């Protein structure tokens, strides 16, 4: 699978400017890719002002994602603020080339920033089937909770989209590698750049790690599009040879 990671600064609470920015970067991808990954809350930045900026599943940004996915004939994923049933969600959309959408609502809300006071927590782990790959969708703070990410579904790829601040970059790097090793899965992490309206600096460190913890794409600190190609067969051969996942503990998650 060929994946494009887009690492960028974000315009604070300005969906139109962010759409234009990301569309420009997507249009610069000169090769065919299967999946494009955008950061967490890519249309607004990590804001708690959901009342002012939330969109619906029929809103401009969702329609824009569907149009781009069809034009590029590839899937696109990233999170944005969605309102539904009088509640607000930090929702990661996975838009297929057909325009069909599956989504994951962020399970672990970042209490340190008061995210839990604004948004409604998700209740389901989501695995998307795409091009023969099983892809697990996760958002930012989810990275700190390995039980929720535990590979009981035999997924092939774990994706984290984030607004992870510079001050905790070391944790981001360590935990992404840990999730790859413990789950024998490829891991893609896409983070934003720049200083947000709350004066938190982000230096990106978007990266790709293989199922043994080896770095495929080194942590990046520039604004750019990074394309990687992943081989599922090599991963499956390694899993069969090592078979570590067969020894995993049984457990139940209570939501």
């Amino acid at each position: 699978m060929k994946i494009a990671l887009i690492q960028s600064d974000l315009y604070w609470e300005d969906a139109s400017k962010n759409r234009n920015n990301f569309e420009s970067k997507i249009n610069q991808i000169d090769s065919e890719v299967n999946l494009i990954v955008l950061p967490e809350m890519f249309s607004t930045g990590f804001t708690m002002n959901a009342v002012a900026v939330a969109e619906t599943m029929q809103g401009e940004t969702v329609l824009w994602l569907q149009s781009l996915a069809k034009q590029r004939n590839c899937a696109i994923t990233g999170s944005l603020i969605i309102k539904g049933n009088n509640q607000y969600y930090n929702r990661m959309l996975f838009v297929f080339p057909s325009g069909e959408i599956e989504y994951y609502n962020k399970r672990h809300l970042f209490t340190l920033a008061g995210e839990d006071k604004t948004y409604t927590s998700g209740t389901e782990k989501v695995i998307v089937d795409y091009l023969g790959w099983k892809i697990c969708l996760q958002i930012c703070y989810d990275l700190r909770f390995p039980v929720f990410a535990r590979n009981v579904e035999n997924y092939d790829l774990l994706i984290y989209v984030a607004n992870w601040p510079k001050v905790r970059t070391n944790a981001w790097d360590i935990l992404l590698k840990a999730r790859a090793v413990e789950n024998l899965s490829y891991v893609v992490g896409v983070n934003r750049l720049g200083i947000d309206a709350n004066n938190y600096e982000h230096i990106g460190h978007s990266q790709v790690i293989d199922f043994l913890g080896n770095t495929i794409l080194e942590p990046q600190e520039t604004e750019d599009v990074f394309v990687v190609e992943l081989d599922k067969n090599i991963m499956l051969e390694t899993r069969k040879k090592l078979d570590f996942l067969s020894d995993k503990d049984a457990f139940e998650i209570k939501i």
Side-chain angles (χ1 to χ4, degrees):
M1 180 180 291
K2 207 168 186 180
I3 304 175
L5 295 71
I6 302 186
Q7 179 167 274
S8 177
D9 198 348
L10 301 178
Y11 295 96
W12 189 254
E13 297 184 356
D14 195 327
S16 178
K17 284 186 178 180
N18 284 308
R19 287 193 299 267
N20 289 338
N21 174 47
F22 282 111
E23 184 165 353
S24 174
K25 287 176 168 55
I26 289 169
N27 287 337
Q28 292 170 21
I29 301 173
D30 57 9
S31 61
E32 289 188 5
V33 296
N34 305 117
L35 175 62
I36 296 170
V37 186
L38 309 179
E40 177 185 23
M41 291 194 183
F42 68 85
S43 62
T44 59
F46 190 63
T47 176
M48 301 303 107
N49 191 21
V51 175
V53 298
E55 299 189 43
T56 69
M57 291 296 286
Q58 293 76 42
E60 285 189 59
T61 300
V62 175
L63 294 175
W64 170 80
L65 286 169
Q66 291 175 308
S67 176
L68 270 180
K70 291 176 182 177
Q71 288 174 27
R72 299 288 308 197
N73 191 33
C74 71
I76 305 176
T77 190
S79 97
L80 66 157
I81 301 167
I82 293 291
K83 182 180 181 180
N85 299 319
N86 293 316
Q87 294 178 311
Y88 299 99
Y89 300 93
N90 184 347
R91 178 170 293 177
M92 186 172 177
L93 305 185
F94 191 98
V95 184
F96 291 82
S98 64
E100 179 188 351
I101 297 174
E102 292 187 33
Y103 64 81
Y104 160 69
N105 292 325
K106 188 177 183 181
R107 167 77 181 104
H108 299 94
L109 301 178
F110 192 44
T111 53
L112 189 62
E115 188 180 13
D116 58 316
K117 295 178 174 61
T118 301
Y119 300 94
T120 298
S121 176
T123 58
E124 296 181 5
K125 185 177 180 181
V126 174
I127 312 292
V128 171
D129 291 310
Y130 176 57
L131 297 180
W133 289 68
K134 296 174 73 174
I135 303 172
C136 183
L137 307 181
Q138 304 262 288
I139 303 174
C140 203
Y141 194 41
D142 287 328
L143 180 59
R144 290 186 176 271
F145 302 94
V147 174
F148 188 63
R150 193 66 173 122
N151 195 359
V152 296
E153 303 87 0
N154 287 319
Y155 61 69
D156 309 301
L157 171 61
L158 180 58
I159 298 178
Y160 288 95
V161 299
N163 272 219
W164 197 285
K166 177 182 178 181
V167 67
R168 291 186 287 278
T169 298
N170 192 46
W172 166 259
D173 292 342
I174 291 170
L175 294 174
L176 285 172
K177 188 162 284 193
R179 297 295 86 81
V181 171
E182 69 198 11
N183 293 305
L184 277 176
S185 171
Y186 286 109
V187 171
V188 168
V190 175
N191 193 27
R192 67 159 292 177
L193 292 174
I195 300 174
D196 67 20
N198 295 313
N199 209 34
Y200 286 107
E201 184 179 2
H202 307 77
I203 59 169
H205 270 227
S206 297
Q207 58 193 277
V208 180
I209 303 161
D210 80 2
F211 39 88
L212 294 177
N214 300 305
T215 302
I216 296 173
L217 175 68
E218 294 285 346
Q220 301 293 317
E221 296 187 1
T222 58
E223 182 157 330
D224 209 340
V225 179
F226 307 95
V227 177
V228 298
E229 191 160 5
L230 307 183
D231 189 323
K232 180 180 173 182
N233 290 329
I234 293 175
M235 180 193 65
L236 293 178
E237 289 170 9
T238 303
R239 281 187 183 174
K240 184 177 180 180
K241 179 181 179 181
L242 299 178
D243 203 26
F244 295 150
L245 292 178
S246 294
D247 298 325
K248 60 183 175 289
D249 297 313
F251 61 90
E252 179 182 352
I253 296 178
K254 295 183 179 180
I255 302 297

